[in-house]
Structures are given as structure tokens and as C-alpha cells.
Amino acid sequence: MMNIYTILYTVFVILYLPIFSLLTRKKGYKTDIKERFVIYNDNARKNTVWFHCASIGELNVAFPVINRLKEKYSILITVSSPRGKDFALKKYPFATVRSVPLDIPFLLNRFISIYKPQALVITEGEFWPNLVCKTSEKIPILSINTRISPNSFKVYKRFRNIYKKILDNFSKFIVRSEKDREYLSFFVPEEKLVLCGDLKLVSSFEKKEVSFNKKGKRIIIAGSTHDPEEKVLITIYKNLRLKYPDLRLVLAPRHLERIDQIKNLLEEEGLSYALRSETEVLDCDVYIVDTIGELSGLYRYADVVFVGGTIAPVGGHNILEPVAEGKPVIIGNHYHKIEDLYRFLRKFNAVFSADNGKEMERLFDKFLEEKFKPDINISAYREKVLLCYIKNIEECLG
């Protein structure tokens, strides 16, 4: 089977390579054809651990693990996409970064002979047949933050014999959820499966310090909002201000091109406003965040947080940042993009969903009046998850 796959894959590469080169250059990236054919020499470093991260998402997810392991090991990173390689070179200046070799046995063997890694760690779900099967003949392979979607599981089940042969080559799967472990147990022995938690809980939050003078006011911060969420929140704010005269609203729209639309809405509602780009002092009814990259740092000033894309049917944005600050987080009922994270955090009373404006107003009122304390210390949990990953990876490194 593997020989047939390799022949078909090689024919496909020969036919597709000119198209790939053209499209890559058109986007302004290097094709790295020589790297994909491992036409280079390099010097191996001692204690090298090889991480394969398909693209930018996986590079971000793996960062806390790689950053911790770099203290003891040399880091080698391969990526699949040209855009991912550019990103990796900037994010990992301490690592050796290469485009992953084509999935052809003799190229993979040459790559391993150059760098002599102790193990290959694949982030999430990049299961190329030769990358897995041929590499496992020489060094241990681990999968971290392994995720198997319901759709992928259906495909895996349909071709169970093929996927079982591939997945059996892994020494260990460090999975993100109980559901992923359940799916994988259909193909590999239980002893190869370890549940540590979702690495995105560790990697998706970077604490930022920003200056803001709230002048002792109570604040609702609405982050990453879409139309018509501002209208709903303004209505809730005006109602609650009757009970809490010191209450103020901070709006941080997802798309800054909507600032003028929000200004017009506030003028229609008779509310004063100021822009973050013009002042750091809260001297108005509504404070508009029209800057980039400061929202996560502003969350620590909030009394209650709303995260957008959840009243508008977008699917939700980053709820972890305000949760990490220990703030009560309220969202609408459109959270399909963040459902796994929402379900997890909801168990600890850290995030709350409302089906309509009235229910949302009641939740805001509750948390403005009561002292809020979630049932989870997210910082401690993140460290626990990271240490679980490090421990299991180092066990395979020996």
C-alpha cells in the first residue's frame, strides 16, 4: 500500500510543482523547492527535537511547549506552507526552520540523517503517511494537542485499516479533549493516549500592559463586536445606568472601519463618547477602542465583559483573554466557533450565555451587583496543562 501511495504522490508532485511555484510566487513567497527536495547541507546540533507545524495556527499552538523545551534542547521546526515558514522565522528566531520535505521516503531519510533529531513532535493532525511511517522507523513520533473532528472521524472509520496502520506508528498521542481520546481509541491502544487538555488554553493568551484611567467607574467592556451588537449593548447599558449611575461602556469593534457607524449610533442615542486613540481617561458615557492590539490589556479594568460575534451569527471570538483576567464573561447564543472552549469554561462558571437581550441584561446586573469569582484559576490551569505536555514529551525523549 505504501509503495502505491508513494508512486501516486510522486506523480502528483511532478505534475503539480509548476502550478505550486506559480501560485506561491504570485503571493509573494519563496517556493523553497530545494528545501522540499532536501538539496542542502546543514550542521546537526546536539539534543535536537523536531517539531512539525503545518502552518501559522499550529505554530502558535505549539509555542509554549517549544519555548519551554528550548531551555534544554535544540529546536528544529518544519512547516508546510510558505506563509507559515515566514511566520516561523519571526516567531522562533532561536530555532532551525525548514520547509518540510516532500512525503517521499528517501527525502525524509536524508533530512533525518542531516539533523539527527531525537524525536518528531507533530502538532494537531498532520498525518502524512511516509512522514509518519518512515520517520517512526528511526525515531519516536508524538502527536500533541491531537484533535479529531467528527467529520474526520467518519473518514478515518471508513478507511480504518489504512489509518490504523499510520496511527500505530506513533509512540504517544497527547490529546486535547476526552472526545479526541475516544475517537483515537478506535485506532490505537489506550496506553498510547494521554489527556492533558487543550494547548490553545495556554497559547492563545498573551498578557499585555496598557494604560487606562477609569476614574473609579464601573465598566462593561464589549470586545470584538459586530453589527448589531453595539445597539443591543447600548440599550442594556442605558437601562442599567438607571440603577448604577457610575456605569460606563467600552466598545471595541472587531472591524475598525465601523467606527463612524458606531459614532453615529451613539449620537442618535444621545450618549457622549471618546476614542482610545485620543485619550486614556474615561470622561464620557462610551469609550471606543479604535486601536489595534490593546483589547486584551484593557480587560483587566472591566467589571463585566461581553465578547462579540455571539449575538451576530459569527460564531464567537476570544473568550479566554477576559477569563484569564478573572472577569465574568457574557456571550450570546451564537458560539459555534468556540463551542469546545465555552463548554469547558462554562463548567467552572467562568462564561455565561444568554439567548436574548433581557436575559443578557439580567446577567450584567447580577455581576455588577455581586462579587464574582470563577471556579477555576485559569493561570494555574494553563501551567498544569503545559507541564503535562512537557512531562510526556520528555518521557519519549528518554
Side-chain angles (χ1 to χ4, degrees):
M1 183 197 78
M2 293 300 294
N3 289 336
I4 295 172
Y5 161 78
T6 301
I7 292 168
L8 292 174
Y9 175 85
T10 304
V11 172
F12 171 79
V13 165
I14 294 169
L15 295 175
Y16 181 68
L17 207 55
I19 300 170
F20 170 78
S21 299
L22 182 64
L23 292 176
T24 303
R25 288 196 184 99
K26 193 174 181 180
K27 292 176 182 177
Y29 296 109
K30 295 179 180 178
T31 56
D32 280 340
I33 298 299
K34 286 187 176 181
E35 281 197 16
R36 295 178 189 277
F37 280 96
V38 199
I39 304 175
Y40 57 81
N41 291 303
D42 206 346
N43 295 318
R45 293 189 287 175
K46 291 182 179 179
N47 299 324
T48 293
V49 182
W50 172 15
F51 282 84
H52 178 61
C53 304
S55 196
I56 291 174
E58 291 83 358
L59 286 162
N60 279 325
V61 165
F63 181 77
V65 171
I66 294 174
N67 198 46
R68 189 70 62 92
L69 287 175
K70 82 177 194 300
E71 298 167 9
K72 293 173 62 176
Y73 302 94
S74 300
I75 303 298
L76 168 65
I77 298 173
T78 55
V79 292
S80 298
S81 72
R83 183 166 170 256
K85 187 184 177 189
D86 280 2
F87 180 82
L89 287 167
K90 294 172 185 173
K91 193 171 183 73
Y92 297 96
F94 53 82
T96 300
V97 178
R98 291 289 190 183
S99 293
V100 70
L102 293 168
D103 201 39
I104 299 172
F106 81 91
L107 297 179
L108 292 163
N109 288 338
R110 173 166 166 73
F111 183 85
I112 293 169
S113 69
I114 290 173
Y115 291 108
K116 301 176 175 59
Q118 290 181 237
L120 167 59
V121 182
I122 297 178
T123 307
E124 297 199 337
E126 189 86 344
F127 302 144
W128 287 96
N130 283 324
L131 176 67
V132 173
C133 298
K134 295 302 177 182
T135 303
S136 69
E137 293 174 2
K138 298 180 179 296
I139 56 175
I141 303 184
L142 301 83
S143 172
I144 62 171
N145 212 53
T146 317
R147 57 185 179 90
I148 308 291
S149 70
N151 287 338
S152 294
F153 180 61
K154 289 177 184 175
V155 175
Y156 287 16
K157 275 185 70 177
R158 189 176 303 157
F159 302 100
R160 185 176 187 274
N161 290 338
I162 295 173
Y163 280 100
K164 186 172 182 355
K165 183 176 176 60
I166 295 170
L167 298 176
D168 265 344
N169 288 278
F170 281 84
S171 298
K172 189 178 289 187
F173 292 88
I174 310 176
V175 304
R176 60 176 190 153
S177 73
E178 189 60 55
K179 180 59 72 175
D180 295 307
R181 180 160 67 177
E182 180 186 326
Y183 284 158
L184 279 166
S185 67
F186 192 76
F187 306 96
V188 297
E190 287 281 353
E191 57 266 24
K192 287 189 177 185
L193 306 175
V194 180
L195 173 59
C196 282
D198 195 339
L199 263 182
K200 286 184 179 178
L201 285 168
V202 185
S203 63
S204 64
F205 176 70
E206 293 181 19
K207 194 176 180 68
K208 297 177 183 176
E209 296 295 331
V210 299
S211 178
F212 180 52
N213 184 357
K214 63 186 282 186
K215 300 189 74 173
K217 306 295 185 183
R218 299 188 218 208
I219 294 179
I220 294 172
I221 293 185
S224 300
T225 57
H226 296 255
D227 185 26
E229 291 172 335
E230 295 88 5
K231 176 69 174 175
V232 175
L233 291 161
I234 288 168
T235 300
I236 291 172
Y237 165 66
K238 291 177 78 171
N239 291 340
L240 290 175
R241 196 172 59 170
L242 299 174
K243 183 176 179 179
Y244 307 101
D246 64 337
L247 184 62
R248 298 295 182 265
L249 177 63
V250 175
L251 291 176
R254 182 72 173 179
H255 303 294
L256 296 187
E257 58 267 26
R258 296 186 53 246
I259 294 293
D260 286 342
Q261 176 189 344
I262 294 168
K263 286 182 183 177
N264 292 337
L265 178 60
L266 293 170
E267 288 167 4
E268 291 171 6
E269 296 286 344
L271 296 170
S272 62
Y273 63 84
L275 300 177
R276 170 75 182 165
S277 60
E278 296 177 354
T279 180
E280 295 179 352
V281 181
L282 184 57
D283 263 332
C284 55
D285 297 319
V286 180
Y287 188 76
I288 304 173
V289 181
D290 62 337
T291 55
I292 296 173
E294 293 192 299
L295 178 59
S296 63
L298 287 168
Y299 279 136
R300 71 186 178 95
Y301 298 99
D303 293 277
V304 191
V305 171
F306 167 82
V307 175
T310 56
I311 295 174
V314 174
H317 295 298
N318 193 330
I319 56 177
L320 184 61
E321 289 175 342
V323 168
E325 294 288 356
K327 306 300 179 181
V329 177
I330 299 169
I331 62 175
N333 57 9
H334 294 287
Y335 50 77
H336 54 273
K337 289 183 180 178
I338 55 169
E339 184 164 2
D340 286 347
L341 185 55
Y342 167 74
R343 299 289 182 198
F344 171 77
L345 293 172
R346 183 66 187 89
K347 291 189 298 186
F348 299 100
N349 293 314
V351 182
F352 305 84
S353 173
D355 289 331
N356 53 60
K358 281 296 180 186
E359 187 179 344
M360 189 170 289
E361 184 177 322
R362 181 185 62 78
L363 286 170
F364 277 117
D365 186 16
K366 170 183 169 68
F367 294 124
L368 287 168
E369 194 170 80
E370 298 177 2
K371 183 73 174 174
F372 173 78
K373 187 171 177 60
D375 298 334
I376 183 173
N377 181 330
I378 196 68
S379 296
Y381 182 81
R382 288 165 66 230
E383 183 65 14
K384 179 183 175 183
V385 170
L386 178 56
L387 288 176
C388 182
Y389 275 88
I390 299 298
K391 173 179 176 289
N392 279 279
I393 290 171
E394 289 193 321
E395 283 177 0
C396 285
L397 291 172

